[in-house]
Amino acid sequence: MGNIYVIEDEVNIRELIKIALEGFGYQVSAFENAEDAMDAMKEDLPSLMIFDRMLPGMDGVTAIRKIRSGSLCPQVPIMILTAKDKEIDKVSGLDGGADDYMTKPFGILELAARVRSLLRRSSGQKEQEKNIVTIGRLEWNFRTREVWFDKKLLELTYKEYELLQYLWKNQDRVVSREELLDSVWGYEYDGETRTLDIHVRTLRQKLGESGQEYIKTVRGVGYRFVGGKE
């Protein structure tokens, strides 16, 4: 089981999360600021990261953007755990590259459930599939979880990759918004389907002018991937 990084400047909360997750059998490294955590990544890649949003020095969202745009570990699952609970804060955090957003005060059992959900989705599960599949101008490596478009590697977040893969696997039909939220996020988002829209929008942007061609919107229903069969 990989190492979980907890980046939280309040020592009591930091120790609470560390002790709680260790009680569930996880290995945990705790950091007071984002800079120290990002330095540690050079020696020990985490299996998941939990960021406070407000940190001394580099704030959590800025750190997440740097991780997502870098080459060290761009697809590591990342959760934001913060007291900032306004919708705009959640949207900006998710749009900045976080895969999950949880507000304080929080329950230990729910935190552990979300950690399990993120880790479960990042555990691979694709060894029985062909390693590389070509889908039109997309090239997909299921083993490394990398996607290229026109021979250029797409810097996808963990949730963007999961969303794109789920749409591709179900390309013979329209996938409803509710199914996507349930299958990709794994729990209710309190009706915040804007989360899904944001991820679809960023996926389309990363696919450039072909984004609208690959991911079609079916009004009133959901989305459909249109890119050719395997």
Side-chain angles (χ1 to χ4, degrees), residues 40-212:
M41 290 176 69
K42 299 173 184 177
E43 303 295 333
D44 176 29
L45 293 179
S47 58
L48 183 144
M49 304 182 80
I50 301 174
F51 270 96
D52 186 12
R53 187 182 180 112
M54 303 302 294
L55 293 166
M58 186 187 305
D59 67 85
V61 174
T62 299
I64 292 169
R65 289 197 180 103
K66 286 182 176 294
I67 292 169
R68 293 306 189 206
S69 63
S71 59
L72 191 59
C73 194
Q75 290 189 338
V76 60
I78 298 177
M79 176 192 298
I80 292 178
L81 182 60
T82 179
K84 298 179 74 65
D85 60 356
K86 293 183 179 179
E87 182 182 13
I88 186 63
D89 296 319
K90 296 180 180 179
V91 170
S92 65
L94 293 167
D95 207 16
D99 300 296
D100 196 2
Y101 195 108
M102 190 173 179
T103 55
K104 303 172 184 176
F106 59 92
I108 293 300
L109 292 179
E110 182 182 358
L111 174 64
R114 294 196 184 200
V115 166
R116 285 195 301 271
S117 178
L118 287 174
L119 289 174
R120 185 169 59 246
R121 284 169 170 75
S122 67
S123 64
Q125 307 170 346
K126 304 306 175 186
E127 291 300 323
Q128 298 178 350
E129 297 185 272
K130 292 169 61 177
N131 282 348
I132 298 179
V133 171
T134 300
I135 313 160
R137 295 159 68 187
L138 285 170
E139 189 174 274
W140 212 304
N141 188 317
F142 291 107
R143 185 178 62 82
T144 62
R145 295 173 61 89
E146 293 176 320
V147 182
W148 292 266
F149 182 72
D150 283 344
K151 305 299 181 182
K152 180 181 179 181
L153 179 64
L154 298 179
E155 297 292 348
L156 300 180
T157 67
Y158 176 73
K159 276 295 189 289
E160 288 169 356
Y161 178 91
E162 291 289 306
L163 176 58
L164 185 61
Q165 178 170 276
Y166 194 86
L167 287 170
W168 169 71
K169 282 183 169 295
N170 294 276
Q171 62 183 280
D172 58 335
R173 64 186 179 90
V174 178
V175 185
S176 71
R177 301 164 66 85
E178 292 76 15
E179 179 181 347
L180 285 169
L181 283 169
D182 182 64
S183 299
V184 176
W185 276 265
Y187 55 86
E188 291 298 325
Y189 250 85
D190 297 327
E192 292 182 21
T193 57
R194 190 176 178 188
T195 297
L196 173 60
D197 297 332
I198 290 171
H199 282 75
V200 169
R201 185 186 71 203
T202 56
L203 267 178
R204 285 171 169 164
Q205 290 173 344
K206 291 178 180 182
L207 290 170
E209 60 184 16
S210 298
Q212 296 286 346

